[in-house]
């Protein structure tokens, strides 16, 4: 691969990056108390884009204090549901106004193709804020027809859970911010947000929109820092009522242990090893294009990535060849190039992790049909890779790679129970897809697969109204839809003797 060409940023993105980034705490832009910073890299070139504050426990403490004050004595709690709705909708409008700027910053920071960020990430965040803007006026309790002796007025209320700590990942920085911030605001909570240290920039730019929208000071606080310092401090903080985390299962378990101190609420969206199952009657053009996209989109750095591809023996060779051809046709380059559809991995650490899996796949006897190598000596690029002749005993089949590597396996059993056992043979249970034109097979398989989300003749589906989350070691709780509001509200029961 030749030296990476880095396209020019637009004027708005340049203006934002020209500033020395600071954290947003209590409506003020501040440095870390320690004065320390850390670098943010362009993963396509390994160049340092900027430095951001290295927040730690002291910074988390002052952010939580600001959030508590905004919740209990600021104007936020006195706003009507209608006024809260207007502010959340305004955040969506402001994001929509700055689509190109946010797409460029997201691409530069994460490495993802700017075309994807412009088409998917930013509009998806806009939709999330607009959808959640309707919820403040729909949060309601019930009047209960109790049977106790005497006359009673019994009812329930839904109230905000309180101060929420939100820790978001680096693969979809703006999208995951929207998934967490929008429902928390809708419920009336206040927030301390910690973006991933690899990708803090769109979160900081979003903080400027928070102020422009008129959200009161202290309602949304943004602390940049490392997971082991700022993230850990937020998870264990005694004055945080809930932690919402998206990331690896390993870190999710640490979050649970840290949250035990004050028994704070925890929601977790964790790892996956998602199966895609292609039956012999599937529309192969659709299935091949769809399953290739399901693993190579975002360079495979997607929790729902279809990294285990099962194809019926009668079509196995066609599926392997088709997905391999799709892999060979991706255009690799700097994410800011609008013609590129495959960028780098996010960091050196992730590059080394995926490279290690590629090495182990060869040593364990997998057949590398296409790809299988790192690209170049600068930037964190890895070829999209198709592995055949894989089995359950291989690391690449058991463990989450979080990269553009798919393991293809065949099945020849028409017993749906047997096929489901293949799909469910994992500690994860986040997502799956079924590819068939037989409605009976599609819906029976959807029932048998142990996953929080199942797609039929598509993969990586998302919509603000569609609840998303996992089972087994893929997490607790749900994002999006009406179900997410249960994570950010407490149900209070009231009984009055009349």
């Amino acid at each position: 691969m030749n030296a990476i060409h880095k396209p020019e940023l637009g004027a708005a993105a340049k203006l934002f990056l020209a500033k020395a980034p600071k954290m947003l705490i209590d409506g003020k832009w501040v440095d870390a108390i320690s004065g320390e910073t850390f670098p943010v890299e362009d993963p396509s070139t390994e160049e340092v884009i900027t430095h951001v504050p290295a927040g730690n426990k002291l910074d988390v403490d002052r952010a939580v204090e600001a959030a508590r004050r905004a919740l209990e004595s600021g104007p936020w709690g006195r706003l009507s549901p209608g006024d809260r709705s207007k502010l959340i909708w305004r955040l969506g409008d402001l994001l929509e106004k700055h689509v190109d700027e946010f797409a460029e910053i997201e691409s530069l920071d994460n490495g993802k193709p700017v075309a994807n960020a412009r088409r998917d990430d930013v509009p998806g965040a806009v939709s999330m804020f607009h959808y959640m803007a309707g919820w403040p006026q729909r949060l309601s309790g019930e009047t209960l027809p109790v049977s106790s002796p005497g006359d009673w007025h019994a009812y329930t209320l839904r109230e905000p859970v309180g101060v929420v700590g939100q820790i978001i990942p680096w693969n979809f920085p703006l999208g995951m911010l929207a998934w967490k911030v929008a429902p928390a605001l809708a419920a009336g909570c206040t927030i301390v947000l910690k973006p991933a240290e690899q990708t803090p920039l769109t979160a900081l730019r979003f903080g400027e929109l928070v102020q422009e929208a008129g959200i009161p000071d202290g309602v949304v606080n943004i602390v940049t820092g490392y997971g082991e310092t700022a993230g850990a401090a937020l998870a264990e903080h005694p004055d945080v009522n809930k932690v919402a985390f998206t990331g690896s299962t390993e870190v999710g378990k640490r979050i649970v242990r840290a949250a035990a101190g004050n028994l704070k609420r925890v929601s977790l969206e964790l790892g996956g090893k998602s199966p895609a199952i292609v039956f012999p009657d599937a529309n192969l053009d659709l299935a091949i294009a769809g399953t290739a996209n399901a693993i190579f989109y975002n360079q495979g750095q997607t929790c729902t990535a279809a990294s285990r591809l099962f194809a019926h023996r009668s079509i196995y060779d066609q599926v392997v060849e088709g997905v391999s051809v799709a892999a060979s046709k991706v255009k690799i380059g700097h994410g800011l190039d609008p013609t590129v559809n495959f960028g780098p991995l996010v960091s050196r650490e992730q590059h080394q992790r995926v490279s290690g899996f590629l090495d182990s796949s060869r040593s364990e006897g997998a057949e590398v049909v296409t790809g299988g190598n790192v690209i170049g000596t600068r930037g964190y690029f890895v070829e999209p890779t198709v592995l055949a002749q894989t089995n359950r005993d291989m690391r690449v089949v058991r463990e989450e790679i979080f990269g553009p590597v798919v393991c293809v396996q065949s099945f020849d059993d028409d017993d749906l129970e047997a096929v489901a056992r293949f799909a469910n043979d994992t500690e994860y249970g986040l997502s799956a897809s079924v590819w068939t034109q037989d409605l009976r097979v599609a819906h029976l398989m959807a029932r048998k697969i142990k996953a929080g989300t199942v797609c039929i003749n598509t993969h990586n589906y998302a919509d603000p109204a569609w609840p998303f989350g996992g089972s087994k070691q893929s997490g607790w709780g749900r994002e999006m839809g009406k179900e997410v509001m249960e994570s950010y509200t407490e149900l209070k029961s009231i009984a009055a003797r009349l």
Side-chain angles (χ1 to χ4, degrees):
M1 184 174 178
N2 296 326
I4 292 293
H5 168 65
K6 180 178 177 179
E8 281 289 313
L9 284 167
K14 279 184 179 178
L15 184 63
F16 169 72
L17 292 173
K19 296 181 278 189
K22 296 179 184 292
M23 303 184 295
L24 179 62
I25 298 179
D26 203 16
K28 300 177 181 64
W29 292 98
V30 298
D31 292 316
I33 290 174
S34 68
E36 295 180 357
T37 64
F38 62 90
V40 180
E41 273 190 330
D42 173 355
S44 291
T45 64
E46 303 180 40
E47 297 171 349
V48 173
I49 304 167
T50 187
H51 291 75
V52 300
N56 59 27
K57 182 181 183 302
L58 294 176
D59 302 290
V60 169
D61 286 345
R62 60 176 173 167
V64 171
E65 182 182 348
R68 177 62 61 188
R69 189 165 53 248
L71 179 73
E72 297 185 352
S73 58
W76 183 241
R78 298 191 297 272
L79 285 179
S80 70
D83 286 340
R84 200 159 71 245
S85 289
K86 290 175 185 176
L87 290 174
I88 299 168
W89 187 275
R90 192 175 301 158
L91 277 173
D93 282 350
L94 287 170
L95 273 173
E96 193 167 36
K97 179 181 176 182
H98 297 285
V99 166
D100 287 342
E101 179 189 356
F102 272 90
E104 288 184 351
I105 297 170
E106 193 86 328
S107 174
L108 180 66
D109 203 7
N110 167 274
K112 67 177 59 195
V114 70
N116 291 3
R118 189 177 285 123
R119 182 191 65 227
D120 302 331
D121 297 57
V122 187
V126 171
S127 295
M128 190 65 182
F129 279 99
H130 283 166
Y131 172 80
M132 285 296 165
W135 271 102
Q137 293 167 293
R138 295 203 297 266
L139 289 172
S140 61
E142 296 180 293
T143 300
L144 306 175
V146 296
S147 301
S148 306
D151 292 322
W152 296 90
H153 177 40
Y155 62 100
T156 60
L157 298 176
R158 281 210 171 269
E159 299 179 337
V161 72
V163 174
V164 177
Q166 300 182 322
I167 303 172
I168 58 175
W170 46 255
N171 58 336
F172 293 96
L174 183 65
M176 295 299 98
L177 177 154
W179 281 25
K180 288 183 168 45
V181 170
L185 292 178
C189 299
T190 56
I191 297 161
V192 178
L193 176 77
K194 195 206 85 68
E197 55 263 35
Q198 298 89 343
T199 55
L201 297 181
T202 46
L204 295 177
R205 179 67 181 97
F206 174 80
E208 297 178 346
L209 300 191
V210 167
Q211 294 186 308
E212 186 177 347
I215 305 289
D217 292 347
V219 172
V220 177
N221 305 275
I222 303 171
V223 177
T224 52
Y226 292 104
E228 60 268 26
T229 52
L234 192 54
E236 66 188 17
H237 201 287
D239 203 26
V240 169
N241 302 107
K242 170 190 163 58
V243 170
F245 171 75
T246 296
S248 71
T249 297
E250 177 189 1
V251 175
K253 292 176 180 179
R254 294 206 294 266
I255 296 279
V256 172
R257 290 191 289 269
N262 66 337
L263 292 179
K264 60 173 63 68
R265 290 252 209 115
V266 177
S267 59
L268 304 169
E269 197 266 279
L270 306 176
K273 196 69 181 174
S274 300
I277 307 167
V278 185
F279 286 90
D281 71 316
N283 178 326
L284 283 190
D285 289 340
L286 179 68
I288 287 169
T291 55
N293 186 65
I295 183 61
F296 301 136
Y297 181 77
N298 210 45
Q299 296 74 250
Q301 298 171 131
T302 306
C303 54
T304 57
S307 52
R308 293 185 301 141
L309 175 55
F310 298 96
H312 191 273
R313 184 174 60 178
S314 64
I315 56 168
Y316 177 83
D317 290 340
Q318 291 171 268
V319 171
V320 170
E321 181 183 4
V323 175
S324 299
V325 168
S328 67
K329 289 182 177 179
V330 300
K331 181 173 180 183
I332 302 170
H334 197 292
L336 286 174
D337 182 341
T339 68
V340 159
N341 57 12
F342 193 92
L345 301 179
V346 74
S347 65
R348 182 179 302 279
E349 178 184 10
Q350 190 64 13
H351 191 253
Q352 291 172 344
R353 173 182 172 82
V354 175
S355 299
F357 274 105
L358 294 175
D359 292 341
S360 74
S361 71
R362 290 186 174 91
S363 66
E364 291 178 324
E367 176 192 348
V368 180
V369 181
T370 190
N373 300 299
V374 301
I375 305 172
T377 57
R378 191 165 180 79
Y380 306 124
F381 293 90
V382 173
E383 291 177 333
T385 299
V386 177
L387 302 177
Q389 308 304 323
T390 57
N391 61 67
R392 173 64 176 81
D393 295 328
M394 296 177 176
R395 275 188 70 215
V396 285
V397 175
R398 296 194 317 271
E399 299 179 27
E400 184 178 39
I401 300 171
F402 224 63
V405 182
V406 61
C407 300
V408 193
Q409 300 174 69
S410 66
F411 66 92
D412 57 7
D413 200 325
D414 293 329
D415 176 5
L416 297 188
E417 293 290 348
V419 178
R421 282 195 293 273
F422 275 116
N424 295 332
D425 187 19
T426 174
E427 65 189 18
Y428 299 108
L430 185 58
S431 184
S433 61
V434 178
W435 302 80
T436 177
Q437 298 184 80
D438 186 326
L439 288 176
R440 173 185 170 276
V441 169
H443 291 290
L444 284 177
M445 280 304 302
R447 293 182 182 185
K448 294 176 187 298
I449 293 172
K450 298 184 186 303
T453 60
V454 179
C455 295
I456 297 171
N457 295 326
T458 189
H459 200 96
N460 287 339
Y461 178 77
D463 185 273
W466 195 63
F468 178 84
S471 60
K472 298 192 280 187
Q473 293 196 42
S474 287
W476 297 345
R478 292 295 179 265
E479 307 270 13
M480 303 192 293
K482 66 180 181 180
E483 285 75 12
V484 72
M485 300 312 300
E486 296 177 6
S487 293
Y488 291 102
T489 56
E490 289 280 12
L491 190 67
K492 177 183 286 185
S493 300
I494 302 170
R497 184 186 297 273
L498 300 181

